[in-house]
Amino acid sequence: MKDKDSFVYIAVSGVVLIAIILAAGQFVGEEAQRVMSVSGTASVSVMPDKADIFVKIASLEDRAVDAQRVNAESTTRIIAALENAGVSEEDIETSSFRLYPKQKWDEDEETYEIVGYEAIHILKVETLNVKGVGDLVDKAVEAGADGVDSVSFSLTKERYKDVTAQALEAASLDAQNKSKAISKRLGVRVGKISRISESNLFYETYEYYPRDAELVYEAAAPKPATPLSPGEVEVRANIELVYELG
């Protein structure tokens, strides 16, 4: 029985030893391989073709049920105004909704007291008419909106796919040019590409945060259309190429 156990132990040890030798040989082979790694970066800036408008509707009443009712009535009017301006029903959705007691500090009692209930509804309005964003803001405020939290200018999926391809192509060319310059300077011959990897694909939208004063309408005088001119959005890409050296 003891001899059998010794045989099993020797067999297992032999397998482990063979595995270690193979792993070591593979490691040495990788270390001995002569390669050159280069990174290429590029960015592409284009005008946005989509905008998301975040419209704010706020209602403050003595009772929570009244705050919710008034807010719902205002929301209905604003949605109708936006749809009349050409926005599709499916392009208007609730971003957030809050209903909470409004409090203030009572110095005499040294405690907070409830002064009413406030409902805040944020509507997300999506439009492909980027140049008409200012007009939609005006329509929403005229219909009873209390302001616009922000406007996010971005790219549609189709446009983003095209711009991403441009950025990746430019980053690949940048990496190739770097490999040529490095190999020429160091006097080495570049062989075939052994590995390609893409990382740090970054997409930066253009965010606009209007001031409250820009959205206040004077009853005595007509207000000109709100001018909103978006800046360019940027897509950045990074490509890493690993070349074998001859």
Side-chain angles (χ1 to χ4, degrees):
M1 184 69 177
K2 183 177 181 180
D3 293 338
K4 184 178 180 181
D5 292 341
S6 299
F7 176 79
V8 173
Y9 174 78
I10 292 171
V12 173
S13 299
V15 172
V16 173
L17 180 60
I18 293 172
I20 293 174
I21 293 173
L22 291 175
Q26 182 180 4
F27 178 76
V28 172
E30 289 179 350
E31 286 294 312
Q33 186 180 17
R34 299 174 68 242
V35 297
M36 178 177 66
S37 177
V38 293
S39 293
T41 59
S43 64
V44 178
S45 297
V46 296
M47 293 301 295
D49 63 344
K50 187 185 76 161
D52 292 322
I53 310 169
F54 294 87
V55 179
K56 179 180 179 180
I57 306 108
S59 305
L60 179 62
E61 301 293 334
D62 293 335
R63 300 190 305 164
V65 64
D66 292 330
Q68 184 176 12
R69 175 182 54 79
V70 172
N71 195 282
E73 293 172 353
S74 297
T75 300
T76 300
R77 290 196 305 270
I78 293 165
I79 290 176
L82 291 170
E83 289 179 350
N84 289 335
V87 181
S88 301
E89 181 181 357
E90 58 267 23
D91 291 331
I92 304 175
E93 62 182 36
T94 294
S95 174
S96 66
F97 181 84
R98 292 182 296 155
L99 177 61
Y100 58 94
K102 190 79 171 180
Q103 298 177 321
K104 76 171 184 178
W105 179 254
D106 188 323
E107 295 183 358
D108 295 332
E109 299 293 334
E110 294 185 350
T111 185
Y112 285 99
E113 63 174 346
I114 297 177
V115 296
Y117 291 85
E118 186 169 31
I120 296 181
H121 192 177
I122 305 295
L123 287 178
K124 177 185 175 184
V125 183
E126 181 179 314
T127 178
L128 301 183
N129 182 14
V130 176
K131 293 183 179 179
V133 168
D135 182 60
L136 292 180
V137 169
D138 293 340
K139 292 291 191 296
V141 175
E142 288 172 354
D146 295 277
V148 172
D149 272 8
S150 65
V151 181
S152 177
F153 294 95
S154 57
L155 302 176
T156 57
K157 291 182 179 179
E158 294 78 10
R159 183 60 172 151
Y160 173 70
K161 183 178 179 180
D162 293 339
V163 177
T164 298
Q166 296 175 33
L168 290 172
E169 183 178 353
S172 300
L173 180 59
D174 182 50
Q176 288 179 323
N177 290 335
K178 286 180 180 179
S179 69
K180 293 177 181 178
I182 293 172
S183 61
K184 181 179 180 180
R185 181 71 181 87
L186 299 180
V188 296
R189 184 172 63 86
V190 176
K192 65 180 181 179
I193 299 175
S194 63
R195 189 174 74 246
I196 303 173
S197 61
E198 172 269 320
S199 62
N200 299 328
L201 188 62
F202 181 74
Y203 171 39
E204 186 173 10
T205 60
Y206 181 86
E207 304 293 330
Y208 177 77
Y209 299 94
R211 297 173 300 174
D212 291 340
E214 294 176 347
L215 300 179
V216 174
Y217 282 73
E218 297 291 342
K223 183 181 182 297
T226 301
L228 291 178
S229 301
E232 294 182 330
V233 298
E234 183 181 34
V235 176
R236 295 200 292 267
N238 183 80
I239 291 289
E240 182 181 1
L241 303 180
V242 177
Y243 289 89
E244 294 180 359
L245 296 180

